[in-house]
Amino acid sequence: MAGKGVHVIVVGNEKGGSGKSTTAFHLAIYLLHQGFRVASIDVDSRQQTLTHYVQNRLECQRRRGIEILQPVHYHLPLTRGDSRKENDRIEFNLFRRAIGEVEQHADYVVIDTPGFDTNLTRLAHSMADTLITPVNDSLIDLNVMAQFDSVTGEPREMSHYARLVQRARAERQSIDGKAIDWVLVRNRISMLSSRNMRQVQIMLQRIADRLGCRVADGIAERVIFRSLFPSGLTVFDSLTDELMGGVPSMSHMSARQEYRNLMAALHLPVNGRAELPPAQPSSRSAHQFVHMMQAEPAL
């Protein structure tokens, strides 16, 4: 990917529990296993789940005396001064510095965002080449994307988050003429087909048609993710007794295949193939892009 610039992947949704951090971390480790240089940035100063994933992984490596692939990780804290303008300036400079550093040694940067609106959330979304929005497979969780007509089932009014993304896409277009490839990912999919499941699929596709984004199947609800988190491991790590501490379960194998399917659906530029998403990385460096954003009006 030399010469093409770092490809920025942002995982965002203004709802907790949708699987943002798990998806971000698995994506980062998957890309490392593909031979890419990967950096991760956590802008969720409250939960810091992605940061905890990385810390757990480093501790697992130290405790077991083994070498496992690690992303270069940054955590950007939320500034808590009295002046909002000054806080925004400090956060912007921290973000710009992190991006400036990672693009020197990364092909991809994966950014995990909080389940609420912050200055760093908006900055990250405007930087995205690929934006992944996990949505739990539930009619209740669809409300984070839009309000629906109770009779027709058509999206009636877009949510605050959907409007935030649309403004980020417009800003990206105005700054460097590039589009953001936005993918809605159905997460925690039920193993059994149901009327609710089919209705969610139809309504999510209607949202995608309205907003000009794509829909991809994500991951079923699996215990394996809760069991892997304390060690900072993923379903892409080596399936050995030394690392896993036991024989991998069928749930582990199924989860790995689900994530492989999701990665394929994202159409990321991997393995040297010309399989680029609609939002190709700009020839302008990521650091230059962030610098240009400083002169743009805030979202």
Side-chain angles (χ1 to χ4, degrees):
M1 294 183 66
K4 292 186 178 180
V6 63
H7 189 95
V8 179
I9 303 168
V10 174
V11 185
N13 184 346
E14 285 189 352
K15 188 179 188 307
S18 61
K20 292 190 300 293
S21 299
T22 300
T23 299
F25 193 63
H26 272 76
L27 178 54
I29 301 304
Y30 168 81
L31 290 169
L32 284 171
H33 279 287
Q34 293 295 312
F36 290 100
R37 302 169 299 171
V38 181
S40 55
I41 300 178
D42 188 355
V43 299
D44 186 352
S45 60
R46 184 180 299 171
Q47 298 293 335
Q48 302 181 39
T49 306
L50 181 60
T51 298
H52 292 152
Y53 259 119
V54 174
Q55 291 171 342
N56 292 346
R57 190 174 180 86
L58 289 169
E59 175 60 20
C60 174
Q61 177 175 267
R62 185 198 65 78
R63 186 175 63 253
R64 300 186 185 182
I66 55 178
E67 290 292 327
I68 50 178
L69 296 173
Q70 305 281 358
V72 176
H73 184 69
Y74 296 79
H75 170 242
L76 302 186
L78 188 66
T79 307
R80 301 185 182 279
D82 294 332
S83 169
R84 179 176 176 179
K85 183 176 181 180
E86 180 64 13
N87 292 343
D88 289 352
R89 185 190 68 80
I90 293 172
E91 290 172 2
F92 183 92
N93 287 334
L94 287 171
F95 189 81
R96 180 172 60 180
R97 189 179 307 137
I99 291 294
E101 291 178 8
V102 301
E103 75 171 359
Q104 300 302 317
H105 52 69
D107 301 306
Y108 287 91
V109 56
V110 180
I111 305 177
D112 188 27
T113 61
F116 51 94
D117 188 6
T118 68
N119 181 48
L120 288 173
T121 296
R122 296 189 296 272
L123 286 172
H125 279 69
S126 294
M127 277 288 299
D129 293 305
T130 300
L131 172 61
I132 302 169
T133 299
V135 180
N136 288 341
D137 221 38
S138 160
L139 293 174
I140 295 176
D141 285 69
L142 284 182
N143 196 57
V144 76
M145 296 301 303
Q147 294 181 12
F148 290 86
D149 187 287
S150 59
V151 177
T152 65
E154 291 292 335
R156 183 178 59 198
E157 181 180 354
M158 293 299 108
S159 69
H160 173 271
Y161 178 71
R163 293 194 298 272
L164 181 152
V165 174
Q166 293 297 65
R167 289 194 296 270
R169 296 173 96 183
E171 180 168 283
R172 178 64 185 268
Q173 185 74 29
S174 68
I175 289 178
D176 67 359
K178 298 295 181 180
I180 296 174
D181 184 29
W182 187 11
V183 186
L184 307 181
V185 175
R186 297 173 58 221
N187 242 9
R188 294 194 166 94
I189 302 172
S190 172
M191 300 291 187
L192 301 176
S193 179
S194 66
R195 181 177 180 276
N196 177 81
M197 179 180 175
R198 293 189 295 272
Q199 192 172 0
V200 168
Q201 186 173 8
I202 291 171
M203 294 172 77
L204 197 59
Q205 187 58 57
R206 288 174 177 171
I207 293 175
D209 293 341
R210 175 89 169 264
L211 296 175
C213 52
R214 302 190 287 122
V215 177
D217 284 346
I219 312 305
E221 180 67 63
R222 295 186 184 277
V223 176
I224 185 67
F225 297 115
R226 291 192 289 273
S227 64
L228 288 174
F229 173 76
S231 300
L233 298 176
T234 74
V235 296
F236 292 118
D237 290 306
S238 176
L239 303 179
T240 63
D241 286 349
E242 179 186 22
L243 185 60
M244 302 301 301
V247 179
S249 65
M250 285 300 298
S251 176
H252 189 135
M253 302 299 291
S254 297
R256 171 182 275 197
Q257 187 57 50
E258 286 172 346
Y259 261 117
R260 281 175 172 165
N261 293 341
L262 173 58
M263 300 311 166
L266 294 178
H267 304 310
L268 296 175
V270 297
N271 295 335
R273 296 174 298 182
E275 191 181 346
L276 296 173
Q280 297 184 24
S282 171
S283 58
R284 182 179 291 118
S285 75
H287 186 262
Q288 288 174 320
F289 178 79
V290 177
H291 182 74
M292 290 177 67
M293 286 176 61
Q294 192 170 32
E296 294 293 318
L299 289 175

